[in-house]
Amino acid sequence: MNVASTQAPNIDDRQSLRAPVLFALVSLLGFGLAYSLAGTAIGRTAFPDQAQGSLIEREGRAIGSALVAQPFVDARYFQPRPSAAKYDPMAASGSNQARSNPDLRKRLSEEAAAIAAREGIAPSEVPAELATQSGGGLDPHISPRSARVQAARVARARGLSVAAIDSLIARHIEAPQFGVLGEPRVNVLQLNLALDAMQALR
């Protein structure tokens, strides 16, 4: 009887582990590091402003982002939509309340009444978007109509004519993206900065 033929084959565990270890390293370095670095580099090259958060700076200091709403409490400024997240980028969210929710209806009624009193108009004239929260709670835009509703108050607080404010609004209306996506809109922060700049030149 041949003893050699009955012995178990010599299996090299190191050989069997080489392929999965190599695959794990390639995946980690390729998809975990190289892909992320390449994506960041391309983003900063092709879209440098957006890659940095679309920050708006004045005198070397970031005062906000063109993509994130922030509150304005002074009557001299246009107001954005209300925010369920209290304008906190780390807590972006909507209210998640259905239209049939009585709490939502109550809040909308109170919000519309407060806006009507602030702008000197009837509650029925308040644009729905000024009383409702956006899905993420950080929408930086309002419609041209929502901006014009606030024009008289801003003009009064700044000692300007309503016509001058309306003209400024018209110059800051952004068209739908690519001409078809979305609706005409006004960026609230940029409009308020333009207001300050306009008065600084007077």
Side-chain angles (χ1 to χ4, degrees):
M1 181 178 179
N2 188 345
V3 177
S5 64
T6 63
Q7 292 179 342
N10 184 20
I11 299 175
D12 187 351
D13 289 338
R14 292 173 298 176
Q15 184 72 23
S16 63
L17 289 174
R18 186 177 302 166
V21 169
L22 181 61
F23 179 76
L25 287 174
V26 170
S27 298
L28 179 63
L29 295 176
F31 298 110
L33 181 62
Y35 179 81
S36 300
L37 291 176
T40 300
I42 292 172
R44 289 190 173 184
T45 301
F47 309 99
D49 186 47
Q50 292 88 335
Q52 297 299 321
S54 297
L55 296 178
I56 297 177
E57 297 185 355
R58 289 294 183 274
E59 300 177 357
R61 183 174 63 92
I63 60 173
S65 169
L67 300 179
V68 179
Q70 62 186 68
F72 292 89
V73 296
D74 196 309
R76 300 181 309 122
Y77 293 105
F78 287 89
Q79 305 295 317
R81 297 179 66 177
S83 170
K86 301 189 185 304
Y87 306 101
D88 181 359
M90 302 304 293
S93 67
S95 67
N96 292 329
Q97 292 177 320
R99 290 188 178 186
S100 58
N101 190 313
D103 290 338
L104 175 63
R105 293 179 178 275
K106 179 174 181 291
R107 183 182 63 76
L108 292 181
S109 177
E110 292 173 349
E111 193 77 42
I115 293 170
R118 182 185 75 200
E119 307 301 344
I121 59 177
S124 59
E125 297 178 60
V126 175
E129 72 180 71
L130 278 185
T132 57
Q133 301 158 345
S134 64
L138 301 172
D139 191 345
H141 298 93
I142 56 176
S143 68
R145 179 179 173 227
S146 292
R148 293 188 183 104
V149 161
Q150 303 181 59
R153 168 183 50 83
V154 172
R156 190 164 53 248
R158 288 180 176 265
L160 299 171
S161 68
V162 174
I165 300 298
D166 282 338
S167 177
L168 189 68
I169 293 171
R171 293 198 299 272
H172 282 79
I173 295 176
E174 301 174 14
Q177 192 171 20
F178 308 123
V180 294
L181 299 178
E183 299 289 334
R185 55 198 179 275
V186 178
N187 187 288
V188 177
L189 176 57
Q190 292 178 339
L191 180 60
N192 284 334
L193 290 175
L195 270 171
D196 287 343
M198 181 175 70
Q199 284 210 294
L201 295 175
R202 286 166 59 93

